[in-house]
């Protein structure tokens, strides 16, 4: 995130137009750093380390913006503080613009407060973008990021139109057509927005796919997916909407929800933002309410339901990485998918837990520099990132 983009984000916050994720990003950082930690653990060394890390980040910020000590900043003049921070140097902006990684007090402490090493790389690892492959029922494959905007295909009574990173299906609702299925697939480093023939909106995350009918002609609306997707389903009480994911099925009439079902994740997580969703397998089912998340364990086949902050589940759709007490391997799986890089590990990887947020649109080394604040060491060799 460059300085101009960050300034625009601050303006949105002050004007009251910032999104939930943007507000979380700024306020969480301020709340974490604007006051000393008063919840001391039973480990004095750990407390001293946490305080030293907090002061290190604050000192970097204060050096750049040449302002008084942050402990004198009150809630009332928080907005003024954010405005002044906008003038900070680029490295500080990367910290302020959405990241404060902390580790669990229950885990082994870091022996030395790490410094952010600012290295230059010959070939930057760039963030992903709008990339996808559309496979028609006929078998014809269309690389969407290689074709221009406008109508790209006709299938029966349906017209397929591309507009930027958005694919739209339109059909003659009065016409009778044979059901044909298309597949939209995003690679690593890709994402795409799809509008189905019934008006349902789908956002596909990287390394994901959705198989869907060109037109919904029967009494049900059935699709299949892999990876991760966010849905805003058009309401139709006479045509329930079903999403098939491995051994699990979701049934909805009209609702907003996110499904995370990557093959390398241990659970299939369904997070409900609005409406109602029934999550089922062959033997059991659970009905979700807004702000609840179901976890379908792939090994045991058990379904558990927990209350959750939906902001984290849809952060990827809003252009953010957001973590909440996640281990480094969980974090790096997301990094690997979005930046299209291979992730490797060398030596013993500890079990510290991290929380924080950062824009998806910075280059990968910037994300890793921030992770260094939590003690993570890494090296980059071509398209491979090794965690040490």
């Amino acid at each position: 995130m460059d300085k101009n983009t960050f300034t625009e984000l601050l303006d949105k916050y002050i004007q009251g137009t910032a999104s939930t994720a943007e507000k979380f990003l700024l306020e969480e950082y301020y709340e974490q750093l604007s006051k000393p930690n008063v919840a001391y653990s039973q480990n004095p060394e750990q407390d001293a380390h946490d305080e030293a890390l907090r002061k290190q980040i604050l000192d970097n910020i204060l050096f750049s913006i040449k302002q008084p000590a942050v402990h004198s900043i009150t809630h009332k003049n928080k907005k003024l503080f954010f405005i002044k921070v906008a003038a900070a140097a680029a490295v500080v902006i990367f910290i302020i613009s959405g990241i404060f990684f902390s580790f669990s007090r229950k885990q082994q402490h870091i022996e030395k407060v790490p410094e952010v090493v600012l290295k230059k790389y010959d070939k930057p690892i760039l963030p992903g973008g709008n990339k996808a492959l559309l496979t028609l029922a006929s078998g014809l494959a269309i690389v969407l990021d290689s074709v221009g905007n406008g109508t790209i295909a006709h299938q029966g009574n349906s017209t397929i139109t591309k507009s930027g990173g958005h694919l739209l299906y339109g059909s003659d609702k009065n016409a009778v057509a044979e059901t044909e299925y298309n597949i939209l697939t995003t690679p690593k480093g890709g994402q795409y927005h799809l509008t189905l023939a019934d008006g349902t909106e789908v956002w596909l995350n990287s390394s994901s796919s959705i198989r869907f009918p060109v037109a919904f002609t029967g009494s049900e609306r059935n699709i299949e997916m892999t990876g991760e997707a966010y849905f805003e389903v058009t309401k139709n009480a006479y045509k329930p909407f079903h999403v098939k994911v491995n051994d699990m099925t979701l049934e909805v009439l009209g609702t907003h929800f996110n499904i995370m079902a990557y093959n390398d994740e241990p659970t299939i997580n369904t997070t409900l933002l609005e409406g109602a969703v029934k999550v089922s397998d062959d033997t059991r089912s659970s009905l979700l309410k807004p702000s609840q998340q179901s976890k379908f364990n792939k090994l045991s086949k058990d379904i558990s339901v927990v209350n959750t902050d939906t902001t984290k589940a849809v952060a990827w759709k809003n252009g953010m990485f957001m973590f909440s007490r996640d281990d480094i391997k969980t974090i790096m799986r997301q990094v690997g998918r979005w930046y299209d890089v291979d992730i490797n590990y060398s030596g013993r990887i500890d079990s510290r837990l991290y929380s924080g947020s950062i824009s998806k649109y910075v280059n990968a080394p910037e994300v890793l520099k921030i992770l260094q604040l939590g003690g993570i060491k890494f090296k980059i060799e071509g398209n491979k990132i090794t965690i040490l």
Side-chain angles (χ1 to χ4, degrees), residues 275-315:
V277 166
K278 185 170 73 171
V279 181
S280 307
D281 65 2
D282 294 335
T283 60
R284 72 210 78 187
S285 65
S286 295
L287 185 64
L288 296 185
K289 299 177 181 179
S291 298
Q292 287 188 331
Q293 181 182 80
S294 70
K295 293 179 177 289
F296 178 82
N297 189 298
K298 295 177 182 177
L299 293 178
S300 68
K301 307 300 181 182
D302 290 333
I303 300 176
S304 60
V305 176
V306 297
N307 294 325
T308 189
D309 178 5
T310 60
T311 304
K312 177 185 176 182
V314 298

Side-chain angles (χ1 to χ4, degrees), residues 128-198:
N130 296 322
K131 306 173 187 176
L133 178 71
L134 175 65
T135 304
L136 304 181
S138 64
L140 176 65
I142 303 173
V143 180
L144 295 178
D145 36 308
S146 298
V147 298
N149 292 333
T151 300
I152 62 173
H154 293 279
Q155 284 181 279
N157 301 305
S158 299
T159 300
I160 308 172
T161 305
K162 177 196 170 187
S163 177
H166 187 185
L167 195 65
L168 301 90
Y169 277 71
S171 63
D172 182 355
K173 296 181 180 180
N174 296 320
V176 177
E178 180 182 352
T179 301
E180 294 184 306
Y181 282 84
N182 289 355
I183 300 174
L184 183 65
T185 305
T186 55
K188 291 179 68 174
Q191 63 182 13
Y192 228 78
H193 180 193
L194 169 67
T195 299
L196 300 176
D198 67 337

